[in-house]
Amino acid sequence: MSELSRRPDEGVVVGRALPHESAGLHVTGHALYTDDLVATRSDVLHAHPVPAPHAHARVLRLDAAPALAVPGVERVLTAADVPGTNDSGVKHDEPLFPDIVMFHGQAVAWVLGETLEAARLGAAAVVVDYDPLPAVLTLAEAIEAGSYQGGRPTVERGDVERGFAEAAHVFSGVTEMAGQEHFYLETHASLAVVDEAGQVFVQCSTQHPTETQEIVAHVLGLRSHEVTVQCLRMGGGFGGKEMQPHGYAAVAALGAVLTGRPVRLRLTRQQDVTMTGKRHGFHAEWRAGFDAEGRLLALDATLTSDGGWSLDLSEPVLARALCHVDNAYWLPHVRLHGRVAHTHKTSQTAFRGFGGPQGMLVVEDVIGRCAPLIGLDAREVRRRSFYVDGQETPYGQPVRHADRLATAWQQLHDEADVARRLEEVAAFNAAHPHTKRALALTPVKFGISFNFTAFNQGGALVHVYKDGSVLVNHGGTEMGQGLHTKMLQVAATALGVPLELVRLAPTRTDKVPNTSATAASAGADLNGGAVKDACEQILRRLAEVDAGRGLPWRDLVQAAYFARVQLWAAGFYRTEGLHWDSTAMRGHPFKYFAYGVCAAEVEVDGFTGAHRTRRVDIVHDVGDSLSPLVDLGQVEGGFVQGAGWLTLEDLRWDTSAGPQRGRLATQAASTYKLPSFSEMPGDFRVSLLQHAHEDGAVYGSKAVGEPPVMLAFAVREALRSAAAAFAPDGGAGTSVDLASPATPEAVFWAVEDARSGDPDRARLVRGGTGVVPDQPGPEEPALHPRSEQVQRDLLGREPGSDGSRSAPVEA
Ligand code: MTE
Ligand code: MOS
């Protein structure tokens, strides 16, 4: 056991099932969020955007004068006001005040008013002349036009052509999946003030205070030490506040500098959904070979992500996608190309899983569609393809603890009573022609650490006061995930003091500098390592003071103070053993893998495609949990968010040629369906994998934030099987192409396809034994013939005018 992972013999506060440190404040409404601070300030100005009504256009003229005539309008911010760099991105491709509009709803200027209403009226009065330009909206259009941005990495291992030649079965197809809106309860918010010395202080709902600080500084032409960013807590981030807050913070800070007054910027829900980046939708074209036993043998795929108008985090998201196409499966021969499409949409960004879910969906879709054509249950194909110890990922990292996959898989079969329930499902289906059930199991293997090695560092500042009380600062932010709860437990454990003696202060860049984003699920690993380090430095000094006397904590602290011994320490942690070559796409980017397995049972109504999730069982690996209740909440929440992405949430842009082209049609909860209580599994059972100590992380724990999202694939695969059960053959040999998201509408079409027994429906082409299709097929996806018909007949619009899904093409 490593020093880092070993728990002390006594006073162990980690591992206790404690409520979230702010749970009481959350549920009573007393927890303060950034925008609540406005009420504590006087003289605050409110910022409102001037949104562009085009997806792509040149700004010909911008006249702010009419806005200044509106009562209560204080100032209009434009590019001319920027003292530093007019850019809000780290890639320098995101003008803060653009002269070319790149997506519908982009702000071309901001108005500051005495009230939000004055600012809104002022924004409406600003006169802007545009010269509209052609806009690329869908992935199909981008691929057709060759509209890409950033690098085009390839992950490769073995010899795919040889793999296909040796394969018993070869199939090809196209898989598409939609993006996802973060829909954090708290929208983007910043409050900026400038003090008498010109020091800029921005309170911001950000997962990455350091980067917000840097962007604010470069927009203002200041140095980092002149800007401080504080994040009190977030009402959810989910990756949406990893890079997206910077520009809004910069607008607020610019306003504060120019007016000398506090400036508040909080997006309304509609503005937030319209203006901020989302999960990337992906298009994947693939060819897959299986051996005679049904194991994956070769996979060749090109993944194209929809990056939106700027690069943002699209390249690292793509890298993580490529590093997760394997999911839990050994792919002897594999070649994965990746590219980022450039489209006139919001700049798609980090979202829980960070490309991992999109990459994994590809292989799960491949298995789900091909297994029936091989004549095997998809569950069996999955199990047979599992990694075993000693094997490496396609990018060359050994898969440590691969046996946990088989262990969790077996445990779940037992706990969820899978064999008996499969019989029940079969009996139910035989008795019900119009309603079908299915039970599916899927695994998760998710790499923990930032691919980019340098980000894997954390810092902390721990103060012990003379009275023995302890104040902890660390570089991580709290967004509801329970990081602060875990850090309190780590500090109490490391110092060997009761939890009540420890408090946490809000995250600030002047306390802990140069922090990484709280992201990649690594918050507890990195900051926990740093908090532990700081505490241990203090303990070592105290041990000298104590000199074996065994003084009680308070007396010891007093004695140390009088002996002039430093009672505080800055802690630091960096994850050892990582390396990553982003050009070759090879290395050892992850400290370890988090594993999980999910079994989901669904029921589908054959008339409407409406579906519900009857029962979900999960076994998930969090190592030795730092905080079991927090981890349980993360597993449940992650699963539900994943199920929302895969089965409910449906982003629709106007892709018509009309004047609203590029406008996001789903801008509110009324048109964008989020999971709520009614979509929770009727029976939801989560257990944490036991005996799962992780040697490479703080107190033997594992990260938990993102991996559970991908447990939800079980729901999608169960829906596929339930749709197949409507086929004349009862489903066993029926390959179902299920759109993602598998909304009731999508499931309805899948059921129709399965029912029809139409040979046209299974658009996967079966290569006979050893036969490889010549070409993977044309790049441009064809429209589903039925949805074409429906769009014409029922909706009165031309096919392709509204994000309708594509069908795989014949090889
Ligand atoms: N849980 C809640 N309640 N709210 C959030 O915003 N974000 C997720 C996950 N769990 C999130 C959450 C994402 S995207 C990540 S990367 C991790 O939490 C970040 O926190 P951690 O590194 O402390 O796990
Ligand atoms: Mo999470 S998507 O890494 O913020």
Side-chain angles (χ1 to χ4, degrees):
M1 206 175 275
S2 69
E3 256 317 292
L4 179 65
S5 71
R6 200 179 52 79
R7 295 185 177 188
D9 301 330
E10 306 166 24
V12 183
V13 184
V14 291
R16 284 197 208 153
L18 302 174
H20 187 285
E21 112 314 304
S22 290
L25 299 177
H26 289 158
V27 298
T28 55
H30 285 94
L32 289 187
Y33 296 85
T34 297
D35 201 52
D36 295 322
L37 301 170
V38 173
T40 66
R41 290 263 167 190
S42 54
D43 222 18
V44 175
L45 287 170
H46 304 258
H48 196 284
V50 178
H54 302 283
H56 191 199
R58 198 180 305 281
V59 177
L60 299 175
R61 186 177 72 101
L62 194 151
D63 183 6
L68 296 172
V70 173
V73 168
E74 170 72 18
R75 182 148 188 156
V76 178
L77 303 178
T78 67
D81 294 310
V82 176
T85 311
N86 179 21
D87 197 282
S88 60
V90 277
K91 296 275 177 181
H92 305 293
D93 64 348
E94 294 182 41
L96 185 58
F97 299 96
D99 49 16
I100 306 239
V101 172
M102 294 298 279
F103 68 93
H104 201 286
Q106 184 175 16
V108 293
W110 288 82
V111 177
L112 305 181
E114 300 292 344
T115 61
L116 188 56
E117 183 59 3
R120 188 183 71 81
L121 293 172
V126 172
V127 177
V128 191
D129 294 339
Y130 298 96
D131 175 20
L133 300 167
V136 174
L137 282 178
T138 65
L139 270 171
E141 288 168 3
I143 292 170
E144 164 91 26
S147 174
Y148 301 110
Q149 54 187 330
R152 297 201 191 184
T154 298
V155 173
E156 192 163 10
R157 184 254 307 281
D159 177 348
V160 272
E161 294 310 331
R162 207 185 85 210
F164 289 127
E166 290 172 1
H169 314 271
V170 178
F171 307 97
S172 70
V174 169
T175 299
E176 285 188 291
M177 63 204 86
Q180 186 179 19
E181 163 58 33
H182 299 87
F183 231 104
Y184 22 63
L185 288 181
E186 178 206 25
T187 55
H188 278 280
S190 282
L191 172 64
V193 296
V194 181
D195 73 9
E196 76 290 351
Q199 173 87 18
V200 178
F201 182 55
V202 187
Q203 307 248 21
C204 180
S205 183
T206 174
Q207 287 174 247
H208 201 168
T210 288
E211 206 168 76
T212 302
Q213 172 195 28
E214 287 164 358
I215 299 288
V216 168
H218 91 214
V219 168
L220 297 180
L222 299 176
R223 282 186 284 221
S224 287
H225 70 189
E226 294 167 283
V227 178
T228 297
V229 172
Q230 167 166 307
C231 178
L232 220 47
R233 60 161 61 79
M234 281 165 277
F238 306 114
K241 293 172 181 169
E242 195 173 330
M243 203 168 256
Q244 303 276 312
H246 311 333
Y248 306 112
V251 168
L254 177 63
V257 166
L258 293 177
T259 63
R261 293 171 59 178
V263 173
R264 165 238 191 180
L265 189 163
R266 182 182 72 81
L267 300 181
T268 62
R269 177 63 60 189
Q270 186 177 333
Q271 288 163 353
D272 195 293
V273 177
T274 306
M275 297 165 74
T276 70
K278 307 172 194 323
R279 186 189 292 285
H280 294 74
F282 270 64
H283 170 280
E285 204 180 338
W286 48 264
R287 194 150 61 118
F290 295 81
D291 69 14
E293 280 77 51
R295 283 183 293 255
L296 275 161
L297 184 61
L299 182 65
D300 188 6
T302 297
L303 275 62
T304 310
S305 75
D306 185 347
W309 74 280
S310 70
L311 262 181
D312 190 284
L313 287 160
S314 293
E315 287 175 301
V317 164
L318 179 67
R320 184 167 280 269
L322 294 175
C323 288
H324 283 79
V325 169
D326 61 332
N327 190 14
Y329 313 115
W330 164 241
L331 303 172
H333 305 286
V334 54
R335 183 169 59 202
L336 308 166
H337 298 296
R339 54 193 184 184
V340 180
H342 183 268
T343 57
H344 295 101
K345 295 213 215 41
T346 51
S347 181
Q348 310 326 5
T349 192
F351 195 136
R352 206 168 188 175
F354 204 82
Q358 293 96 317
M360 281 159 59
L361 190 142
V362 175
V363 77
E364 295 302 343
D365 200 54
V366 166
I367 296 176
R369 285 160 73 179
C370 298
L373 302 178
I374 299 173
L376 280 173
D377 192 294
R379 220 164 1 99
E380 198 46 32
V381 173
R382 292 190 164 93
R383 189 191 62 81
R384 291 184 192 181
S385 297
F386 277 173
Y387 277 113
V388 295
D389 277 333
Q391 291 174 332
E392 284 184 359
T393 63
Y395 46 89
Q397 172 159 350
V399 182
R400 196 163 53 85
H401 288 160
D403 56 300
R404 288 189 188 181
L405 282 166
T407 307
W409 188 260
Q410 189 51 50
Q411 184 179 330
L412 194 71
H413 270 84
D414 299 341
E415 287 179 2
D417 210 358
V418 169
R420 184 185 55 77
R421 287 172 56 215
L422 281 171
E423 283 171 18
E424 280 177 12
V425 164
F428 178 90
N429 289 349
H432 295 82
H434 303 301
T435 314
K436 301 291 179 191
R437 291 181 180 167
L439 172 60
L441 275 80
T442 55
V444 169
K445 166 185 130 288
F446 191 81
I448 300 300
S449 297
F450 290 93
N451 268 71
F452 184 61
T453 305
F455 288 164
N456 296 289
Q457 55 175 305
L461 183 62
V462 175
H463 296 174
V464 175
Y465 291 98
K466 282 183 279 182
D467 66 354
S469 64
V470 181
L471 187 67
V472 176
N473 272 278
H474 64 85
T477 55
E478 176 61 41
M479 59 196 99
Q481 87 279 37
L483 178 61
H484 283 357
T485 311
K486 289 182 171 179
M487 295 304 97
L488 287 169
Q489 290 177 269
V490 166
T493 304
L495 291 172
V497 300
L499 197 61
E500 312 79 74
L501 278 188
V502 189
R503 283 199 69 202
L504 253 159
T507 316
R508 292 175 63 119
T509 56
D510 57 354
K511 291 285 167 49
V512 180
N514 310 329
T515 54
S516 297
T518 307
S521 307
D525 285 13
L526 299 177
N527 299 292
V531 168
K532 184 166 181 281
D533 174 49
C535 293
E536 285 169 352
Q537 292 176 42
I538 297 167
L539 274 190
R540 280 196 292 275
R541 292 182 213 133
L542 288 176
E544 277 184 36
V545 174
D546 187 57
R549 286 178 290 171
L551 290 175
W553 173 255
R554 235 188 117 155
D555 298 346
L556 179 57
V557 166
Q558 287 267 327
Y561 172 75
F562 285 109
R564 291 183 294 169
V565 168
Q566 187 184 342
L567 279 172
W568 72 96
F572 186 72
Y573 174 79
R574 65 159 173 250
T575 319
E576 297 296 345
L578 306 180
H579 56 93
W580 178 243
D581 178 341
S582 60
T583 310
M585 294 293 281
R586 289 194 70 75
H588 194 299
F590 306 123
K591 184 68 183 176
Y592 56 84
F593 297 102
Y595 299 102
V597 179
C598 177
E601 183 184 330
V602 301
E603 184 174 296
V604 167
D605 173 66
F607 295 114
T608 62
H611 48 76
R612 65 195 178 91
T613 306
R614 288 168 45 77
R615 174 170 164 183
V616 167
D617 292 74
I618 289 168
V619 174
H620 193 76
D621 168 22
V622 297
D624 289 343
S625 176
L626 287 178
S627 200
L629 269 185
V630 165
D631 284 349
L632 184 66
Q634 286 292 292
V635 175
E636 291 177 348
F639 167 84
V640 170
Q641 196 162 34
W645 171 51
L646 293 170
T647 68
L648 295 169
E649 302 178 38
D650 199 359
L651 288 165
R652 296 287 177 116
W653 276 271
D654 185 335
T655 53
S656 74
Q660 296 294 317
R661 180 169 166 80
R663 180 179 169 274
L664 184 60
T666 48
Q667 297 176 331
S670 52
T671 45
Y672 187 76
K673 177 72 185 102
L674 291 163
S676 55
F677 279 114
S678 47
E679 285 81 25
M680 288 284 286
D683 186 353
F684 196 6
R685 309 180 190 196
V686 177
S687 54
L688 304 179
L689 188 73
Q690 297 301 300
H691 314 295
H693 184 85
E694 171 51 53
D695 218 41
V698 63
Y699 292 129
S701 63
K702 276 191 183 183
V704 68
E706 295 165 287
V709 167
M710 290 146 274
L711 294 166
F713 287 130
V715 177
R716 179 172 137 81
E717 292 309 309
L719 288 172
R720 187 199 306 281
S721 300
F726 285 94
D729 69 352
T734 301
S735 172
V736 167
D737 171 15
L738 185 60
S740 187
T743 56
E745 182 187 350
V747 172
F748 173 76
W749 292 125
V751 168
E752 285 284 285
D753 278 353
R755 256 193 188 137
S756 70
D758 177 357
D760 198 35
R761 70 178 152 69
R763 284 161 304 271
L764 281 165
V765 167
R766 181 173 189 167
T769 305
V771 176
V772 181
D774 293 328
Q775 292 291 324
E779 284 207 330
E780 197 187 351
L783 266 181
H784 189 295
R786 197 181 314 273
S787 50
E788 248 180 65
Q789 195 58 41
V790 165
Q791 288 192 36
R792 276 207 196 88
D793 296 353
L794 301 179
L795 306 177
R797 64 180 171 226
E798 270 312 290
S801 64
D802 158 303
S804 93
R805 73 198 175 99
S806 66
V809 289
E810 290 204 343

